Amino acid sequence: MSSKLTGVALEKRRKQVEATATFGLILICVALVAPFTSPASMEYLSVFRWIYGSGTIIYLVARIVDISDPQDSPRLKRLRRMEFWAGVAFGLATAFWFIGQHRLGPYAGALAVLQNTIMFTLVGALIQIVASWLIYSQTKKEIGQRRDKE
């Protein structure tokens, strides 16, 4: 049997999960921007792909944790699940970074190696942004409906 958290304990868990996911997104951002500071040097790619992968794992773990209130509507639960799919897009971007660097070799430029990684990172970011907006608006709507019932 699993016991669902409610009230203060749920809010505390949500804050922890959001802080962890934000830290993962910061690692992803830093790792993606850093190779462009010196695009001719491929040593940066070898180091920062691991940082990107770490950020992806941290983000995915944060999004796997259940932070749904038992009173949440199915729509809100699906929107929270959407954030997990943003993490999957970041995971695919990580895979493309590792594959691209091995496939193209040490003399390819950063843009050639990171082409698919950048694309899937943008997809994940778009999913994350849209999900965040929709979660915010749906939460406001449901809180308003709960107050109207009382």
Side-chain angles (χ1 to χ4, degrees):
M1 279 199 252
S2 69
S3 60
K4 290 281 193 175
L5 294 177
T6 57
V8 177
L10 180 63
E11 286 305 314
K12 183 178 178 184
R13 178 180 280 179
R14 281 185 180 164
K15 287 179 183 177
Q16 291 171 341
V17 164
E18 290 302 322
T20 304
T22 301
F23 179 68
L25 285 174
I26 289 170
L27 285 178
I28 288 170
C29 181
V30 167
L32 194 62
V33 171
F36 294 108
T37 59
S38 178
S41 175
M42 293 300 285
E43 290 83 32
Y44 278 130
L45 290 181
S46 297
V47 173
F48 284 104
R49 69 181 177 174
W50 290 102
I51 295 172
Y52 188 96
S54 300
T56 299
I57 290 171
I58 290 169
Y59 181 84
L60 271 171
V61 167
R63 293 303 177 206
I64 288 173
V65 175
D66 185 23
I67 57 171
S68 295
D69 192 344
Q71 296 178 359
D72 286 346
S73 68
R75 176 179 168 83
L76 190 56
K77 290 177 183 179
R78 283 192 301 268
L79 289 172
R80 291 194 194 282
R81 202 173 312 132
M82 236 173 98
E83 292 179 319
F84 168 77
W85 288 106
V88 171
F90 296 139
L92 288 170
T94 304
F96 279 118
W97 193 336
F98 277 84
I99 292 168
Q101 193 163 356
H102 286 294
R103 184 175 47 96
L104 296 173
Y107 300 108
L111 284 177
V113 171
L114 295 177
Q115 176 183 0
N116 292 327
T117 299
I118 293 169
M119 181 183 66
F120 276 97
T121 301
L122 291 175
V123 167
L126 180 66
I127 293 170
Q128 175 62 38
I129 290 168
V130 169
S132 296
W133 287 342
L134 291 174
I135 287 170
Y136 175 75
S137 65
Q138 185 67 26
T139 303
K140 272 181 64 175
K141 183 191 249 183
E142 288 185 16
I143 288 173
Q145 289 173 351
R146 287 180 196 158
R147 286 185 186 150
D148 290 344
K149 288 181 181 179
E150 293 176 355

